[in-house]
């Protein structure tokens, strides 16, 4: 059967951020309506903390498709030419189970993660939120700038990261990308003081953000940590916030930002208000007042990769983009 192979550049070209927000909105709603089969991902940890090999299978209907993201996460790649997230998404159709496409997963991960934060921002941030702070200056920082610009008109953007050189590089890359000035902040506190939109996108395993720095009413997209032992926020922030996530089961298994303060007795599982798909479908209440602190904890779901892969493959087929190969799949007799 013909299989379409799509590169990092082709995926990036075919998956513009505003379209990806709408796509993720629909995929999360579909999951809430019962249209997804989604086991927890398998994380194979390599010796000496070198990296992780993640396996993320799922089924989603619509579009009645099967997917598998196979991805390595090597945080030590920072500062090299290699992305910290590399792999492929395999897309199968669900009539005969045939493989349809193989897509670069670095680009899909970069774009779909930020798009989901964009969806959470549209659902939970104050309508006039537009003073953005980004903590972290890597791949996700840049796509989160695009996603926040797609979710709300931005008035101001401040960026902080651990290494000043990373911030300088980010500011240069971000210049002219959106009609807003991007400022380098000297500390995380200076970045978030007075902000009403905050994205944390670092590989830190310990808190980089403190409750006492936060203005009333701000919305946080908390993206970096996705292991039970790692977190980006202090316990006070999580305890003070209305907490939402992409998927309940993932949060309770994989999120140190939630599990560590829970283990300290700060709150129980009921502190999680619900999933973003549930907010979108009107099953769970979102922000209630202009002073609520809302927090979206992103873990990253296989259905997000699958929905993105399906969309990109359709557009590629319409436009004749990609390399098509006959790999197999016919009866072997
Ligand atoms: P990059 O490697 O491109 O960037 C990593 C960033 O983390 C850099 O800004 C770096 O800062 C910062 N950082 C690393 N270690 C520390 C530390 N100890 N303290 C503070 N900052 C630190 O990674 P990505 O942008 O691709 O990913 C960022 C995070 O998001 C990762 O943890 C990744 O696993 C997670 N992620 C989550 C997804 C989800 O679905 N929720 C999906 C994809 C990624 P500097 O350069 O200034 O040193």
């Amino acid at each position: 059967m013909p299989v379409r192979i799509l590169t990092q550049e082709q995926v990036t070209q075919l998956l513009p951020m505003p379209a990806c927000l709408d796509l993720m909105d629909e995929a999360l709603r579909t999951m809430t309506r019962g249209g997804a089969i989604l086991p927890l991902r398998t994380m194979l940890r390599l010796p000496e903390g070198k990296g992780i090999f993640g396996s993320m299978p799922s089924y989603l209907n619509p579009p009645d498709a099967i997917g598998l993201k196979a991805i390595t996460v090597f945080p030590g790649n920072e500062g090299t030419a290699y992305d910290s997230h590399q792999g492929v998404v395999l897309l199968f159709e669900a009539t005969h189970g045939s493989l349809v496409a193989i897509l670069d997963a670095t680009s899909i991960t970069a774009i779909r993660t930020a798009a989901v934060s964009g969806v959470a921002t549209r659902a939970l941030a104050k309508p006039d939120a537009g003073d953005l702070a980004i903590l972290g200056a890597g791949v996700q920082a840049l796509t989160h700038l695009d996603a926040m610009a797609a979710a709300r008109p931005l008035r101001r953007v401040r960026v902080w990261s651990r290494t000043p050189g990373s911030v300088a590089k980010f500011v240069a890359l971000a210049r002219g990308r959106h009609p807003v000035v991007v400022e380098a902040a000297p500390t995380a506190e200076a970045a978030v003081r007075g902000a009403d939109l905050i994205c944390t996108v670092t590989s830190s395993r310990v808190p980089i953000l403190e409750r006492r720095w936060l203005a009333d009413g701000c919305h946080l997209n908390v993206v970096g940590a996705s292991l039970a032992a790692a977190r980006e926020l202090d316990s006070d922030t999580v305890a003070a916030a209305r907490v939402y996530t992409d998927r309940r089961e993932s949060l309770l298994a994989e999120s140190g930002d939630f599990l560590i303060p829970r283990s300290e007795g700060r709150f129980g599982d009921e502190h999680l208000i619900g999933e973003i798909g549930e907010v979108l479908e009107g099953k769970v209440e979102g922000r209630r007042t202009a002073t609520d602190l809302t927090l979206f904890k992103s873990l990253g779901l296989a259905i997000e990769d699958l929905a993105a892969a399906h969309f990109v493959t359709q557009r590629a087929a319409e436009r004749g983009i990609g390399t098509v190969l006959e790999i197999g799949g016919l009866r072997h007799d």
Side-chain angles (χ1 to χ4, degrees), residues 142-316:
L142 200 60
T143 51
H144 272 74
L145 174 63
D146 295 344
M148 294 305 107
R152 290 283 190 271
L154 300 178
R155 297 186 298 276
R156 182 181 190 193
V157 180
R158 282 168 285 173
V159 180
W160 168 84
S161 197
R162 177 183 60 167
T163 309
S166 300
V167 182
K169 195 172 145 207
F170 179 91
V171 169
L173 274 175
R175 191 168 295 131
R177 211 170 160 100
H178 300 284
V180 61
V181 175
V182 177
E183 305 162 36
T187 61
E189 178 178 358
V192 303
R193 281 278 181 199
D196 48 25
L197 274 182
I198 300 172
C199 299
T200 63
V201 284
T202 74
S203 309
S204 181
R205 299 174 69 91
V206 293
I208 49 153
L209 186 92
E210 295 183 24
R211 165 74 183 106
R212 61 196 173 91
W213 305 338
L214 302 177
D216 281 349
C218 74
H219 171 72
L220 295 115
N221 297 304
V222 181
V223 176
S226 42
L227 296 172
R231 60 173 170 166
E232 293 180 290
L233 307 184
D234 68 352
S235 298
D236 288 347
T237 301
V238 185
R242 288 176 67 76
V243 177
Y244 303 84
T245 191
D246 37 16
R247 189 163 178 247
R248 187 172 280 103
E249 196 184 351
S250 302
L251 181 100
L252 295 176
E254 298 169 350
S255 173
D257 280 299
F258 191 84
L259 297 174
I260 294 170
R262 190 191 71 175
S263 73
E264 294 166 351
R266 298 296 299 270
F267 47 72
D269 288 355
E270 74 293 339
H271 192 58
L272 171 63
I273 292 177
E275 298 175 351
I276 288 300
E278 294 171 338
V279 177
L280 297 172
E281 287 289 286
K283 296 191 167 183
V284 153
E285 200 178 8
R287 166 179 294 276
R288 285 193 299 210
T289 71
T291 55
D292 280 345
L293 194 65
T294 51
L295 190 166
F296 168 61
K297 178 55 207 155
S298 162
L299 277 316
L301 303 180
I303 56 154
E304 299 162 2
D305 302 303
L306 169 54
H310 182 266
F311 175 84
V312 168
T313 302
Q314 270 199 328
R315 294 187 91 189

Side-chain angles (χ1 to χ4, degrees), residues 20-41:
C20 196
L21 260 72
D22 293 339
L23 193 65
M24 294 301 116
D25 182 298
E26 197 48 44
L28 294 167
R29 286 172 185 268
T30 300
M31 181 175 74
T32 296
R33 293 187 206 121
I37 304 174
L38 184 62
L40 273 179
R41 62 187 150 207

